[in-house]
């Protein structure tokens, strides 16, 4: 089947402005994903640059914008996509080249929420135990693969990318606030109680719409707000 | 200066916006029911509706909630889109003045009826 594509191209070394490049390719879309076709296009045009690694929706490295939606190229079926299929880099992050974006800002926000267990008790012999209910609190949070599909689809992040942490980092922040083994919940909430870091979230819910893992960052952000209210009252 | 703490204001504004919304959501239907009970609403009926002190206070609180709610919403818009500090501050003061005037005007209307 003859398929048509429009791919965002940018090579900073060429000195030319970014542009959309049209491609046509004989490709059978049945059972194939967007990443398959990107790899096939790279066979034709080896200057095309994009990130990919696990090709099964686990590593989170091939987040791209396909026909206006942020998706993981490796798990997005080609069938059903309107042609020409338009592939752009994730919105609002600086483009390094073609579909490769600079994730520094995204990971800076991730680091800011201290995404690790803070527990000053002496380390136990084997492990820090949790009850099944305490462990269940973390479901729907730990599965985040940091692909940035949610954060880069969030208008609040578009307007204040330096100061609003974004849905992914906030959900990771809550993942450790909710962890029964963590002892720094207050310190974490102190950091988040700010008009920018957390409260730029207006519940637009693009993050929920676009999360390729089916997670709900808006709910996690809501739980942080509830905790802040409980703490304040 | 790289690790400054949170401004500790977000949650207050967030709560104020929700509390004012709840009050308005309760007041508006109650007011409509009361007004409906005095139909036809001619000038005398309208004056009678606002004669009790409780009604005056409830209406004043409604206008205050409306202004506070609008203020928090505007502040959100300014923070999102208006990144020039001087302009933002100027607009903060302009809207504060306008909203304060609206509140004073409401008091004048409610307690100045003859």
């Amino acid at each position: 089947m003859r398929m048509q594509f429009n791919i965002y191209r940018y090579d900073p070394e060429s000195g030319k402005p970014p542009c959309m490049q049209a491609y046509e390719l004989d490709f059978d879309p049945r059972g194939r994903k967007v990443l398959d076709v990107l790899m096939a296009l790279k066979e034709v045009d080896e200057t095309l640059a994009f990130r990919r690694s696990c090709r099964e929706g686990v590593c989170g490295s091939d987040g791209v914008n396909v026909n206006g939606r942020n998706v993981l190229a490796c798990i997005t079926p080609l069938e059903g996509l309107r042609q020409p299929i338009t592939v752009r880099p994730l919105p609002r992050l600086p483009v390094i080249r073609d579909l490769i974006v600079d994730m520094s800002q995204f990971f800076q926000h991730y680091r800011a929420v201290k995404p690790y267990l803070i527990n000053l008790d002496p380390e136990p012999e084997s492990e820090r135990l949790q009850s099944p209910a305490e462990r269940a609190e973390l479901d729907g949070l730990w599965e985040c693969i940091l692909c940035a599909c949610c954060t880069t689809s969030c208008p609040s992040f578009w307007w204040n990318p330096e100061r609003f942490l974004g849905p992914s980092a906030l959900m990771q922040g809550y993942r450790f606030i909710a962890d029964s083994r963590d002892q720094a919940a207050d310190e974490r909430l102190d950091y988040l109680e700010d008009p920018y870091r957390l409260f730029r979230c207006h519940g637009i819910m693009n993050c929920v719409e676009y999360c390729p893992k089916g997670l709900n960052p808006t709910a996690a952000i809501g739980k942080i707000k509830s905790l802040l209210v409980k703490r304040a009252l | 200066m790289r690790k400054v703490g949170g401004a500790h204001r977000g949650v207050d504004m967030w709560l104020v916006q929700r509390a004012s919304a709840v009050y308005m959501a309760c007041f508006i239907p109650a007011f409509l029911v009361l007004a409906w009970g005095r139909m036809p609403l001619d000038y005398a009926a309208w004056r009678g509706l606002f004669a009790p002190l409780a009604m005056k206070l409830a209406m004043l609180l409604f206008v205050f909630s409306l202004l506070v709610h609008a203020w928090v919403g505007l502040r959100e818009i300014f923070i999102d889109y208006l990144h020039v500090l001087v302009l933002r501050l100027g607009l903060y003061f302009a809207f504060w003045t306008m909203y304060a005037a609206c509140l004073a005007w409401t008091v004048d209307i409610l307690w100045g009826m003859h």
Side-chain angles (χ1 to χ4, degrees), chain B residues 36-56:
Chain B
W36 189 260
R38 287 176 180 266
M39 292 296 256
L41 264 182
D42 53 15
Y43 181 69
W46 196 246
R47 255 187 66 185
L49 183 63
F50 282 96
L53 180 66
M55 187 60 182
K56 285 191 172 81

Side-chain angles (χ1 to χ4, degrees), chain A residues 203-223:
Chain A
I204 297 165
M205 295 180 79
N206 275 7
C207 51
V208 182
E209 172 78 17
Y210 293 125
C211 176
K213 305 300 280 187
L215 306 179
N216 189 338
T218 307
I221 292 169
K223 286 177 182 169

